[in-house]
Amino acid sequence: MTKAEIVANVLEASKAKDEKLNKSQVQIVINALFDTLKDAIKKESRLAYPEFGVFTIKTRKARDGRNPHTGDAIKIPETVTIGFKPAAKLKAELNVKADAAKADKKVAKKDDKKADKKADKKAAKKK
């Protein structure tokens, strides 16, 4: 999802709740939100949002690597990155959607098999 799509979705949600926000106001709020989150993670090296997850700063150690084009050995410096651990509720919601998608695929396969059997029976009767 892009930033523009986030703004559009928040704008639609605000209209659904009879809030009178315009696109520029929503953009200001979203930009302020992400700036606040970024600053909080930098300052405290951890940001927890209930029912969503926890963002943490992680440090990757320096290591040896290879240049993929030449195959030469290179030194990869230590880097700082961010990690995310989803909350149990978010994981459960994602798994419900994944389980529903799997169930839909199983039903589709069964329907395909039934259709194939019917087609085979019709072909056998015609002979």
Side-chain angles (χ1 to χ4, degrees):
M1 177 178 275
T2 65
K3 184 176 177 180
E5 291 171 334
I6 292 171
V7 170
N9 288 349
V10 172
L11 190 58
E12 285 178 31
S14 71
K15 286 181 181 177
K17 294 181 179 182
D18 295 328
E19 297 293 328
K20 294 181 177 161
L21 297 174
N22 60 39
K23 188 174 180 180
S24 63
Q25 290 172 323
V26 171
Q27 286 176 327
I28 290 168
V29 170
I30 289 174
N31 288 336
L33 171 69
F34 280 100
D35 288 342
T36 303
L37 296 176
K38 180 176 60 173
D39 293 343
I41 292 169
K42 281 183 186 177
K43 183 179 176 185
E44 298 177 22
S45 73
R46 183 177 188 276
L47 176 94
Y49 192 85
E51 299 181 3
F52 187 73
V54 179
F55 295 91
T56 55
I57 291 179
K58 295 184 177 193
T59 304
R60 290 187 185 154
K61 294 180 181 177
R63 60 195 187 280
D64 294 329
R66 295 238 174 245
N67 181 329
H69 294 289
T70 63
D72 294 339
I74 58 172
K75 295 277 185 187
I76 301 171
E78 181 178 272
T79 57
V80 177
T81 187
I82 190 164
F84 175 72
K85 184 176 180 184
K89 185 173 182 176
L90 178 61
K91 282 168 110 175
E93 288 176 12
L94 293 174
N95 286 327
V96 166
K97 290 179 183 176
D99 292 342
K102 285 181 185 177
D104 290 344
K105 285 182 182 178
K106 285 182 182 179
V107 169
K109 283 184 183 179
K110 286 182 182 178
D111 290 344
D112 289 343
K113 286 181 183 179
K114 286 180 183 178
D116 290 343
K117 285 182 181 180
K118 287 181 181 179
D120 290 343
K121 286 181 182 179
K122 286 182 181 178
K125 286 181 181 179
K126 288 182 180 180
K127 288 182 183 181

